[in-house]
Amino acid sequence: MTPNWITTAIERSRSRRPVTWLTLVGVLLLPVVIGGILVAALYNPTERLDSLTAAVVNEDEPVTIDGQMVPLGRQLTAGLVEGSDDIDSNLTWTISNADDAAAGLADGTYAAVITIPENFSAAATSTQPGETPEKATIEVTTPPDSLIVDDAITAQVASVAASSMGTQLSEVYLENVFVGFTTLGDQLGTAADGATRLADGATQAADGAAQLPSGISQLADGNSQLAGGATQLADGAAQLSGGATSLQSGLTTIAGKTREAATGAQQLADGVNAGAAQLEQTGLVPSKLSDGAAASAGVAAKTKTAADDLLALANDCVKYSSDPTYCTSLITQATITKETAAGAQTAANGVSTGLTQFNTEATQEFVNQFRTIGTNVATLSGGLTQLAGGIDQSAAGAGSLASGATGIQTGANGLASGASQLADGASQAATGATSLADGVAQLADGTASLADGLHTASTSIPSYTDQEATDLATVVANPVETDGVGTSLFGASAIPLLATLALWFGGLGTFIALQAVSRRALTSRTPSALLALRAYAPAAGIGALQGLLVAGVVQVAASYSWGEWWVFAGVSVAAGIAFAAVNQALVAVFGGAGRWISALVGVLAVATGIVSTVPGVLSSIAGLLPTSAAYQGMVAALTSASGIGAAIAGLVIWTLVALAATMLAVARRRTTSARALLKATPVTA
């Protein structure tokens, strides 16, 4: 049996029936039921995503890159179905087609449909060279009657999946770019080394080309000397021809006067023998002339060798010069020089060979003839007829010698003319060689500058290993990430908000069931303050128990640490006590309208506790209400936020203000009019 003193001390609202324990238990459990339902339904909904069914329609057409098929639509579908390792729950996915997805969206089978278009792979890989870059998109469709958070959940899942795939594609692209940097740097380094070697070769070529004009000038000087020697040879041959003619005339005279010269025959024989001996030693041709002809042949050979080198260098001109006209002119000059040198060598060899043969044969012939003359003269007594015949033969030989000397003169003149022309060509070649040396020097300078630039470019381009390129691509593809962001859609403030609402409506429910102001206030002799406290005391006890029970429900759902929970439970108990006082005051002061105001306060707490973008006026009003103090205190208890002391102080102030207002309302109820006394109906609240 319920003790009468407990139930009779508490008055039922709007009824004289006594309050039973069932009424008290119902009032006590009201916030527990409200809080339990709200927490069970709304706390951390991402853990129950598998109850949300969505369809994925893959219309993507795979593409082929470097002979390998790339089905990115299939990969995205697999990623959606598989889910994330960071989240324990995932949507229940159904791989469907367009017609089935539309039907399922219409009849409520699917909460969302993700459509991957047919150009998804093509657009996602459009960063390949030669293609126009295009963003790959996916379409998220939800039914018009979807619940509030369903759209946000499906959009977030699809966005995360698309972002993850985009990050993977970016990583692959950037990794190839970074590896390409390394390859480009290596290739530039190789090119720089080649340019350096080219510059060294060009420098050596420039040095050689710089020496070429001097050599060709020496060749021109040698050819000039050859021309002078050939002129001297022509003069000597002319003198030899004149002497031979004179000899022929003298021999004829000698032949006519042989008989007259019998007495001097022995002297003539001695002179002839002596002249033969001297001629055998000296020869007919002077040694200077023979040596000059041999030197001319050697100079001509060197000239031909130099011309061959010049022609080879001219043929390589196109490798180092960008002026084809200059290279063509250089090749022409080199060819002319080569041909001229060849002709000069042939002429010089012919002259040297002719002089040698002439000197050998003619000298020996004259020696033999002179010795014959000497013998004949010595044996003049043996026969003047034979001597006359020998002298006639000598005269004929002298005529031949005159003719030969004339031929030597003609050849020497030709040699002098050719040598002069060779000297002129060599002078022109020297001028061209000077230009060539300048051009090759410029080529060496330009190639050296190119090598320096390539080395600078090679060292300026970053180089990465494969692992470094992979790590850098991972960071660059997703350079910013968040830390400390939870997966709950409602955040850390969900539990405090739900607990505050449960306790507030629990306080409202308490004074829906219980009387805020005693019906005996008018007739009782008890002071107004005591009457107010007597009505408040059971409500305060119920509020404290409500706070403790709501904290227990929260602990079962969220499993906070015991240190956090004890603070949260303390704030909840304080909030339950304060909310009981405020709801009592609202009903005591405003009557039935007070309950309407209390409901409005609860709605305002919900409206301002979900999102921070509410109008500033509503936020300002909500910040002054007791629900704000309770909410801030619970948030501070469960998080690192501060303000527990201020929240408790605010709840205490609201409790005291509410009790004062209730006492004033009780005092006002203790005065009445005569008309009111005539009414039989007691005052109700």
Side-chain angles (χ1 to χ4, degrees):
M1 295 294 293
T2 302
N4 292 332
W5 65 271
I6 294 179
T7 56
T8 56
I10 302 175
E11 301 179 51
R12 185 188 294 271
S13 174
R14 294 174 296 180
S15 175
R16 291 185 177 275
R17 289 187 300 130
V19 174
T20 64
W21 279 107
L22 185 60
T23 302
L24 296 178
V25 172
V27 172
L28 182 64
L29 295 180
L30 177 62
V32 177
V33 174
I34 294 175
I37 293 174
L38 292 177
V39 170
L42 300 179
Y43 180 68
N44 203 6
T46 55
E47 293 183 354
R48 300 181 299 277
L49 291 180
D50 52 359
S51 63
L52 198 63
T53 302
V56 56
V57 179
N58 180 24
E59 298 178 346
D60 178 51
E61 294 292 338
V63 296
T64 301
I65 299 178
D66 296 333
Q68 183 176 2
M69 187 175 68
V70 181
L72 296 182
R74 299 180 191 173
Q75 296 179 18
L76 178 57
T77 301
L80 288 171
V81 174
E82 181 180 357
S84 172
D85 295 336
D86 299 331
I87 301 177
D88 296 334
S89 180
N90 187 21
L91 301 180
T92 298
W93 291 97
T94 299
I95 300 178
S96 181
N97 54 47
D99 295 335
D100 177 72
L105 200 65
D107 61 20
T109 302
Y110 303 133
V113 174
I114 306 297
T115 302
I116 304 174
E118 62 180 358
N119 67 334
F120 181 79
S121 292
T125 58
S126 60
T127 55
Q128 298 293 322
E131 297 186 10
T132 302
E134 181 182 357
K135 286 187 177 182
T137 59
I138 60 176
E139 181 180 354
V140 181
T141 307
T142 56
D145 57 350
S146 60
L147 299 182
I148 296 175
V149 186
D150 288 357
D151 287 354
I153 292 176
T154 54
Q156 184 180 18
V157 171
S159 177
V160 169
S163 177
S164 299
M165 172 155 286
T167 300
Q168 293 175 4
L169 293 174
S170 299
E171 288 177 4
V172 173
Y173 178 78
L174 292 172
E175 183 176 351
N176 292 333
V177 171
F178 294 140
V179 172
F181 281 162
T182 301
T183 303
L184 178 60
D186 295 340
Q187 295 298 326
L188 285 178
T190 302
D193 294 338
T196 300
R197 291 194 293 269
L198 179 60
D200 294 339
T203 301
Q204 295 175 0
D207 295 338
Q211 296 175 1
L212 184 60
S214 176
I216 295 179
S217 297
Q218 293 176 2
L219 175 63
D221 295 338
N223 287 328
S224 298
Q225 294 176 3
L226 176 62
T231 301
Q232 293 177 1
L233 176 61
D235 294 339
Q239 294 176 1
L240 178 61
S241 176
T245 301
S246 299
L247 177 61
Q248 182 181 15
S249 176
L251 289 175
T252 302
T253 301
I254 290 173
K257 295 181 178 182
T258 299
R259 293 178 180 87
E260 296 177 0
T263 56
Q266 188 62 44
Q267 295 178 353
L268 178 61
D270 294 337
V272 169
N273 289 329
Q278 184 177 2
L279 181 62
E280 189 175 25
Q281 293 179 356
T282 61
L284 289 174
V285 180
S287 58
K288 290 184 179 181
L289 183 59
S290 299
D291 294 340
S296 297
V299 171
K302 292 181 180 180
T303 301
K304 183 177 179 297
T305 301
D308 291 336
D309 294 339
L310 178 60
L311 181 58
L313 184 61
N315 289 329
D316 290 339
C317 174
V318 293
K319 298 180 180 179
Y320 309 104
S321 175
S322 60
D323 187 356
T325 304
Y326 170 74
C327 292
T328 302
S329 175
L330 185 60
I331 293 173
T332 302
Q333 292 295 331
T335 303
I336 294 174
T337 301
K338 179 180 178 181
E339 294 174 353
T340 303
Q345 182 181 10
T346 301
N349 289 334
V351 170
S352 178
T353 302
L355 288 176
T356 300
Q357 184 177 2
F358 173 79
N359 190 31
T360 300
E361 295 178 357
T363 299
Q364 189 63 39
E365 182 178 356
F366 277 112
V367 169
N368 293 334
Q369 289 180 358
F370 285 159
R371 284 178 179 174
T372 300
I373 292 173
T375 300
N376 290 334
V377 172
T379 59
L380 181 62
S381 60
L384 291 175
T385 304
Q386 294 179 355
L387 176 60
I391 293 174
D392 290 336
Q393 293 177 358
S394 297
S400 300
L401 176 62
S403 300
T406 301
I408 292 174
Q409 179 183 7
T410 303
N413 288 329
L415 176 61
S417 177
S420 297
Q421 294 178 357
L422 179 60
D424 294 338
S427 298
Q428 295 177 358
T431 302
T434 301
S435 301
L436 174 63
D438 295 339
V440 174
Q442 293 177 359
L443 174 63
D445 294 338
T447 308
S449 300
L450 174 62
D452 294 339
L454 290 175
H455 278 298
T456 301
S458 177
T459 56
S460 299
I461 294 177
S463 178
Y464 306 99
T465 64
D466 292 342
Q467 185 61 43
E468 288 174 344
T470 300
D471 296 339
L472 185 58
T474 301
V475 175
V476 174
N478 188 18
V480 180
E481 64 180 10
T482 56
D483 187 16
V485 178
T487 58
S488 175
L489 294 177
F490 294 97
S493 61
I495 288 295
L497 177 61
L498 298 178
T500 298
L501 292 176
L503 291 176
W504 178 258
F505 285 109
L508 174 60
T510 298
F511 285 99
I512 291 177
L514 303 183
Q515 186 73 15
V517 178
S518 176
R519 297 186 183 91
R520 297 185 292 272
L522 184 61
T523 60
S524 177
R525 294 182 180 181
T526 305
S528 299
L530 187 57
L531 288 174
L533 291 175
R534 283 181 179 177
Y536 170 67
I542 292 173
L545 289 175
Q546 288 174 341
L548 189 60
L549 291 174
V550 168
V553 171
V554 168
Q555 180 64 7
V556 171
S559 300
Y560 291 108
S561 67
W562 287 107
E564 293 175 337
W565 184 81
W566 280 113
V567 178
F568 176 78
V571 176
S572 298
V573 170
I577 295 172
F579 291 170
V582 174
N583 276 283
Q584 180 189 17
L586 289 174
V587 176
V589 174
F590 299 104
R595 298 185 182 94
W596 184 86
I597 295 174
S598 178
L600 186 61
V601 171
V603 173
L604 191 60
V606 173
T608 57
I610 293 178
V611 65
S612 299
T613 58
V614 296
V617 175
L618 295 180
S619 297
S620 299
I621 295 173
L624 301 175
L625 299 177
T627 52
S628 177
Y631 170 75
Q632 297 297 335
M634 293 179 187
V635 170
L638 298 179
T639 65
S640 60
S642 60
I644 292 180
I648 297 297
L651 292 174
V652 171
I653 292 173
W654 270 105
T655 301
L656 295 177
V657 171
L659 288 176
T662 301
M663 292 177 187
L664 291 177
V666 171
R668 189 183 62 182
R669 295 287 183 89
R670 305 190 77 173
T671 61
T672 186
S673 63
R675 180 179 299 178
L677 292 175
L678 296 177
K679 293 182 178 179
T681 305
V683 178
T684 61

